């Protein structure tokens, strides 16, 4: 079925022009109804024989039939009059948005004081006296003056806020600390000789010569080694690693798709994978370092992230502007007991397929407890 073609309105209708057109159409309908009423009156004149030039009237049955026809027509006209009254009332109650007053135009030329008197028209035929019509609705308001010139452009808006800074790359691992050298043993102090008896105080004599130093005492025997203390806590006893080396093909949905990691799994007893090797549960609470790598066979316009306890982790998210084939990130996070961790790919624009590289680390995840 073809589409309707609407004519181009030139010049375009304005709101005020449209209102005036509606009022004009109501007036035209009122004029049409008045012609119909006049025709019904002439119909009655015809059957009654009162029109000029008619000699005989109709019989009583014809008069009654015509009277019923006129009555039905008057009923229809009365209903149409109510509709026109409601339409005009709605138009007159429509809100008016007055634009700014335009500049005053130049005064037009003054017309003649008295116009010519037109000829008197011929007298029409005398009609029957009709019933008093209903009081007409108030006339439409006069047209609104032309719209004034556009105002000056508004001031420029404030500059938008500066965009957020990009994600900071992960910190590299710290190198091992060198071994501290041992301290040499300290020699033992020699024994002090006994004090002599105090003699009477004599006259202060000259200072005597300084005596020679005593011989150094021998080194004391080394004490026995104490018992070895118990081992301290080892946070890294909670750790795990899993990878995907099979070249898996993933259908990445709009909400994101978890990556299975069934290869090369090494877990402590308190980290367990689910049946699909996509969700890893950590039973021990603590502070953890979590890192991941994803390598695909082709560059993709997709992002990667960790999902922790069902919530997308923002710090772990990589959302590149251009297509890439390598994703890697590392975070530190506090985990409650029995927390869940998943590695996920998600589309930045449209859902698609990602193929992990095979024979190597197509994807890997490492979990290490720090404290």
């Amino acid at each position: 079925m073809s589409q309707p073609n609407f004519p181009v309105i030139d010049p375009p209708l304005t709101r005020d022009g449209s209102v005036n057109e509606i009022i004009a159409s109501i007036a035209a309908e009122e004029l049409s109804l008045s012609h119909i009423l006049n025709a019904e009156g002439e119909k009655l004149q015809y059957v009654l024989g009162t029109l000029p030039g008619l000699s005989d009237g109709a019989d009583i049955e014809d008069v009654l039939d015509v009277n019923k026809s006129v009555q039905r027509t008057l009923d229809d006209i009365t209903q149409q009059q109510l509709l026109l009254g409601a339409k005009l009332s709605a138009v007159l109650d429509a809100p008016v948005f007055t634009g700014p007053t335009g500049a005053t135009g130049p005064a037009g030329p003054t017309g003649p004081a008295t116009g010519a008197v037109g000829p008197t028209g011929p007298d029409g035929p005398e009609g029957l006296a009709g019933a008093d019509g209903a009081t007409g609705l108030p006339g439409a308001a006069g047209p609104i003056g032309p719209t004034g010139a556009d105002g000056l452009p508004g001031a420029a808006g404030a500059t938008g806020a500066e965009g957020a800074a990009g994600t900071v790359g992960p910190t590299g691992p710290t190198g091992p600390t060198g071994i501290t050298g041992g301290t040499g043993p300290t020699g033992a102090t020699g024994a002090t000789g006994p004090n002599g008896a105090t003699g009477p105080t004599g006259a202060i004599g000259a200072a005597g010569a300084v005596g020679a130093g005593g011989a150094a005492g021998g080194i004391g025997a080394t004490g026995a080694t104490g018992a070895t203390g118990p081992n301290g806590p080892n946070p890294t006893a909670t750790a795990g690693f899993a990878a995907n080396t099979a070249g898996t093909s993933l259908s990445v949905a709009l909400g994101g798709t978890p990556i299975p990691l069934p290869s090369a799994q090494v877990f402590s007893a308190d980290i367990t994978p689910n049946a699909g090797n996509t969700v890893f549960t950590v039973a021990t609470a603590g502070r953890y370092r979590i890192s991941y790598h994803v390598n695909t066979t082709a560059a993709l316009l997709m992002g990667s992230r960790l999902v922790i306890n069902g919530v997308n982790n923002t710090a772990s998210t990589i959302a590149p502007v251009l297509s890439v084939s390598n994703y890697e990130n590392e975070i530190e996070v506090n985990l409650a007991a029995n927390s869940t961790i998943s590695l996920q790919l998600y589309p930045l624009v449209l859902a698609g397929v990602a193929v992990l590289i095979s024979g190597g680390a197509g994807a890997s995840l490492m979990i290490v407890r720090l404290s």
Side-chain angles (χ1 to χ4, degrees), residues 7 27 38 45-46 51 88 108 120 137 146 168 173 202 248 302 348 367-368:
N38 184 65
Q45 286 180 302
Y46 176 80
L51 284 177
L88 182 60
T120 303
L137 297 171
V168 179
T248 302
M302 294 184 180
L348 297 177
I367 306 169
V368 179

Side-chain angles (χ1 to χ4, degrees), residues 249-252 300 302 350-355:
S249 178
L250 298 174
S251 295
V252 182
L300 305 172
M302 294 184 180
L350 298 174
V353 176
V355 180

Side-chain angles (χ1 to χ4, degrees), residues 96-130:
V96 178
F97 304 101
T98 305
T101 303
T104 303
T110 304
T114 305
V117 178
T120 303
D123 294 336
E126 182 179 359
L128 294 176

Side-chain angles (χ1 to χ4, degrees), residues 79-104:
Q79 295 179 13
Q80 184 65 22
Q81 186 67 27
L82 293 174
L83 292 174
L84 291 177
K87 185 189 295 185
L88 182 60
S89 177
V91 172
L92 295 178
D93 290 340
V96 178
F97 304 101
T98 305
T101 303
T104 303

Side-chain angles (χ1 to χ4, degrees), residues 195-204:
N195 295 327
T198 303
T201 301
I204 297 173

Side-chain angles (χ1 to χ4, degrees), residues 29-323:
E29 290 188 67
E30 292 283 0
L31 181 61
S32 300
L33 294 179
S34 67
H35 283 296
I36 294 174
L37 287 174
N38 184 65
E40 293 300 308
E42 290 182 350
K43 187 193 293 184
L44 287 174
Q45 286 180 302
Y46 176 80
V47 297
L48 293 175
T50 58
L51 284 177
L54 293 177
S55 58
D56 296 328
D59 58 28
I60 186 63
E61 291 182 359
D62 292 338
V63 172
L64 292 175
D65 289 340
V66 170
N67 185 59
K68 291 180 181 179
S69 174
V70 171
Q71 181 64 40
R72 287 194 296 269
T73 303
L74 289 177
D75 290 341
D76 294 339
I77 291 175
T78 301
Q79 295 179 13
Q80 184 65 22
Q81 186 67 27
L82 293 174
L83 292 174
L84 291 177
K87 185 189 295 185
L88 182 60
S89 177
V91 172
L92 295 178
D93 290 340
V96 178
F97 304 101
T98 305
T101 303
T104 303
T110 304
T114 305
V117 178
T120 303
D123 294 336
E126 182 179 359
L128 294 176
D132 292 338
T135 303
L137 297 171
I144 298 173
T147 304
D150 293 337
L152 294 175
T159 303
E162 183 178 353
T167 305
V168 179
T171 303
T174 303
T177 303
I179 300 173
T180 303
T183 303
T186 303
T189 304
T192 304
N195 295 327
T198 303
T201 301
I204 297 173
V210 177
I219 298 174
T222 303
T225 303
T228 302
N231 293 328
N234 182 11
T236 57
T238 298
F241 175 83
N244 186 317
T245 61
T248 302
S249 178
L250 298 174
S251 295
V252 182
L254 291 178
T257 297
I259 302 173
L261 303 170
S263 312
Q265 291 185 348
V266 179
F267 295 117
S268 57
D270 52 355
I271 298 180
T272 54
N274 67 346
N277 295 296
T278 56
V279 179
F280 302 90
T281 301
V282 180
T284 306
R287 184 180 181 188
Y288 284 79
R289 175 172 292 174
I290 306 173
S291 60
Y292 70 84
H293 292 78
V294 180
N295 300 294
T296 60
T297 59
L300 305 172
L301 190 56
M302 294 184 180
S304 63
R305 62 195 174 197
L306 293 173
V307 180
I308 300 176
N309 293 323
V311 179
N312 299 331
N313 183 272
T314 302
S316 69
T317 300
I318 295 176
V321 177
L322 301 177
S323 298

